[in-house]
């Protein structure tokens, strides 16, 4: 049973990898396959993600906490699921880093939605830009 479960998991990961490569190559290059899929799922579609502003993307995964903080008049969260990225975990200013990733995620989504770069080169450039700063 364990081997069949591992085999099914491997097949689904390969399938997700192929679909991300076709649908959103720039997002895949910037965020990785799993995070790109999570962001797309949260947004609803690639076009909806492309039309969103970066403030909305920054709080994906922290909506309940945001509205609860607003209701109780406490401090609002600074980041959502984008802070789970490997490169964001050891950085002291996670809020700033998440804001940068949200901005670049919107740019990559726009490139993918309007079909300007099907190879994902723009996503690679955005990732290098973030890592260099």
């Amino acid at each position: 049973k364990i081997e069949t479960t591992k085999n099914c998991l491997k097949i689904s990961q390969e399938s997700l990898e192929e679909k991300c490569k076709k649908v959103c190559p720039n997002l895949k290059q910037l965020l990785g396959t799993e995070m790109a899929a999570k962001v797309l799922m949260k947004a609803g579609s690639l076009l909806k993600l492309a039309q969103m502003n970066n403030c909305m993307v920054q709080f994906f995964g922290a909506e309940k906490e945001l509205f609860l903080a607003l209701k109780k008049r406490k401090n609002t969260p600074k980041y959502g699921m984008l802070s789970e990225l490997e490169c964001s975990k050891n950085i002291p200013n996670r809020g700033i880093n998440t804001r940068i990733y949200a901005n670049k995620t919107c740019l990559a989504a726009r490139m993918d939605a309007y079909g300007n770069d099907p190879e994902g080169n723009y996503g690679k450039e955005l990732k290098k830009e973030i890592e260099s700063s």
Side-chain angles (χ1 to χ4, degrees):
K1 288 185 176 182
I2 294 173
E3 289 181 20
T4 57
T5 306
K6 287 182 181 178
N7 192 21
C8 289
L9 181 64
K10 184 178 178 184
I11 291 170
S12 65
Q13 286 176 340
E14 290 172 358
S15 173
L16 181 64
E17 184 86 26
E18 288 176 20
K19 288 182 181 180
C20 275
K21 202 173 197 178
K22 289 179 185 175
V23 175
C24 55
N26 291 301
L27 268 181
K28 179 185 164 292
Q29 292 295 331
L30 179 64
L31 301 176
T33 306
E34 290 180 21
M35 187 58 71
K38 285 181 185 179
V39 168
L40 277 176
M41 184 181 72
K42 198 70 172 167
S45 72
L46 187 59
L47 276 175
K48 286 182 182 178
L49 181 63
Q51 292 171 352
M52 286 183 184
N53 58 2
N54 58 349
C55 298
M56 296 282 295
V57 176
Q58 181 179 350
F59 292 112
F60 276 172
E63 292 91 355
K64 288 181 183 178
E65 296 156 15
L66 175 67
F67 292 122
L68 187 65
L70 291 172
K71 182 179 177 182
K72 293 187 176 185
R73 296 181 186 205
K74 294 188 177 183
N75 292 338
T76 58
K78 294 184 178 117
Y79 40 81
M81 74 168 85
L82 287 178
S83 66
E84 298 171 13
L85 291 166
E86 286 297 319
C87 48
S88 297
K89 289 187 178 178
N90 298 326
I91 295 176
N93 294 328
R94 288 173 69 183
I96 294 171
N97 193 45
T98 304
R99 192 174 310 128
I100 291 169
Y101 264 101
N103 185 20
K104 303 299 182 187
T105 298
C106 289
L107 292 174
R110 289 176 189 140
M111 291 295 285
D112 288 335
Y114 303 118
N116 293 337
D117 183 23
E119 287 84 35
N121 295 326
Y122 190 69
K124 288 178 188 175
E125 288 176 21
L126 289 174
K127 185 140 181 128
K128 286 179 187 175
E129 195 175 301
I130 291 172
E131 290 171 352
S132 67
S133 61

